[in-house]
Amino acid sequence: MAAVVGTQDLRTPVVIALQTLAVAACYYVSGQLGLMRELVVEGAVVTPVWPPTGVSVAFLLIFGLRCWPGIALGAFLVILSLTSLRPSAFGVLAGNTAAPVVGYLLLRRAGFRTDLARLRDGLALVFLGAFTAMLISATVGAGLLIATGRLDWPSFWAVWLAWWVGDAMGVLIVTPVLLLLYRLRRPLRLSRWKEASGLALIACCVVPPATHSPVSLLFLVYPLLIWAALRFQLAGSMLCALFASIMATVAATDRSGPFERLTRVEVMIKLQAFNGAMALTALILSAVITEQINTRRSVERACQELVEVLEHLTAGEAADGRASLEEGRVGRRQDE
């Protein structure tokens, strides 16, 4: 018995250490992917979508607060790959770690469910996990640039806004996809695979030209997004939104298509407005549709249970009637 307890005691720290390393590795890889596409705003380099924030919030929602050291380690490795260790780097590290942790705590307090099957879950992720929590990292990051003299005060709000929106987009776009993959269990039926393949093929034919055409055709993405949400709920809408966001980010950083003749600030504003509106549409529409489907199923189950109860009561009344009739016949025979 003592040997079993000792083995379990040793296994727990090993599992925690491996989990920390896995979280740090995912954070670092997603950070390097985010750094592949950058924009310059008022002399500061920012990313239109910062995937590590979405990765961090998703891991916190799945594994809890015990994975925050992995987030801190991953953020440290990303900062180390960009610059030398300075006091300001540790401030950025603290801000990038605190923002997703605060987002997780706010979501947990709001009763957030990772299946995103309710409208309140989608709204909580948008307004608490993304918009509110990411104020911390943006404020700390832009404030440290001011404090170290690398940014002038007139440029503060533009850089702050770009930093905040990039972190928020990471939560809105990446977190739902990771939560979806974590909860993925059963495959689609063959008929649904055919429709999903058709939707994916149409998206591949429509989205790249829409995001790279000199004519502003970004609105063509929304019918595909609505189709995906109606037929496949969160899985379809968020994967479609992720693909469209990647294509739009590539076009914006290459200054091509609808972003060609815009200034750097205008590119950031147009890209983030598109990504934000698309992510909000995908999250809220899929949550509303899923909620309605669950409500309809609940009503159908209640109706089925009511039918069964009525059949049972009818059968019981019929049995009681037959028993009364038999008793009446026996009584008449005895009188005769």
Side-chain angles (χ1 to χ4, degrees):
M1 185 67 178
V4 174
V5 174
T7 303
Q8 292 178 347
D9 292 339
L10 290 175
R11 186 182 303 169
T12 302
V14 172
V15 171
I16 294 175
L18 291 176
Q19 188 181 82
T20 300
L21 293 175
V23 172
C26 291
Y27 189 105
Y28 179 79
V29 171
S30 63
Q32 296 304 313
L33 291 175
L35 291 171
M36 293 175 64
R37 293 290 169 174
E38 301 173 343
L39 288 175
V40 179
V41 177
E42 300 295 338
V45 178
V46 296
T47 54
V49 178
W50 185 236
T53 57
V55 171
S56 301
V57 174
F59 275 122
L60 286 166
L61 290 171
I62 294 171
F63 299 114
L65 277 176
R66 66 177 181 270
C67 70
W68 77 263
I71 296 172
L73 178 59
F76 175 78
L77 294 175
V78 171
I79 294 172
L80 195 63
S81 68
L82 294 174
T83 182
S84 60
L85 287 182
R86 302 173 183 175
S88 60
F90 291 99
V92 175
L93 172 63
N96 289 351
T97 304
V101 170
V102 171
Y104 162 73
L105 294 175
L106 290 174
L107 290 173
R108 190 177 67 173
R109 187 171 182 81
F112 179 81
R113 291 194 333 208
T114 56
D115 58 0
L116 287 166
R118 304 174 300 176
L119 177 60
R120 58 178 294 184
D121 298 325
L123 294 176
L125 184 64
V126 171
F127 292 102
L128 297 179
F131 290 170
T132 301
M134 296 306 125
L135 293 172
I136 298 173
S137 56
T139 303
V140 171
L144 286 171
L145 291 177
I146 290 288
T148 55
R150 299 169 62 186
L151 186 68
D152 297 329
W153 270 110
S155 304
F156 172 80
W157 289 111
V159 174
W160 179 90
L161 182 62
W163 196 312
W164 173 66
V165 174
D167 286 355
M169 288 302 104
V171 176
L172 292 181
I173 294 174
V174 177
T175 298
V177 174
L178 294 179
L179 294 178
L180 171 69
L181 294 176
Y182 176 73
R183 297 181 60 85
L184 191 61
R185 293 294 181 269
R186 58 182 183 180
L188 294 173
R189 299 189 302 270
L190 180 60
S191 59
R192 302 300 302 278
W193 271 115
K194 293 180 180 178
E195 184 179 2
S197 301
L199 175 60
L201 180 61
I202 294 174
C204 291
C205 295
V206 171
V207 174
T211 54
H212 287 77
S213 172
V215 182
S216 185
L217 297 176
L218 293 176
F219 62 88
L220 293 178
V221 174
Y222 287 96
L224 296 175
L225 203 65
I226 295 171
W227 177 12
L230 287 172
R231 298 297 295 163
F232 302 100
Q233 287 78 59
L234 185 67
S237 63
M238 289 313 305
L239 290 176
C240 184
L242 177 63
F243 177 61
S245 176
I246 292 173
M247 291 292 100
T249 302
V250 170
T253 52
D254 289 342
R255 307 292 292 274
S256 64
F259 307 95
E260 184 176 0
R261 295 181 177 86
L262 304 179
T263 65
R264 293 174 177 177
V265 175
E266 290 172 344
V267 167
M268 174 64 72
I269 293 174
K270 187 170 185 175
L271 173 64
Q272 301 300 32
F274 173 72
N275 284 340
M278 187 174 53
L280 285 172
T281 302
L283 272 174
I284 295 176
L285 182 60
S286 61
V288 169
I289 293 171
T290 303
E291 199 171 43
Q292 290 180 347
I293 291 174
N294 292 336
T295 301
R296 186 189 66 190
R297 290 174 178 172
S298 299
V299 172
E300 290 175 350
R301 284 195 299 267
C303 292
Q304 183 63 33
E305 292 174 358
L306 181 60
V307 169
E308 293 175 357
V309 170
L310 291 175
E311 290 178 350
H312 179 72
L313 292 175
T314 303
E317 290 176 357
D320 292 341
R322 286 195 297 270
S324 299
L325 182 60
E326 291 297 331
E327 289 177 358
R329 290 176 180 175
V330 171
R332 287 195 298 271
R333 289 174 183 174
Q334 291 178 351
D335 292 337
E336 293 175 354

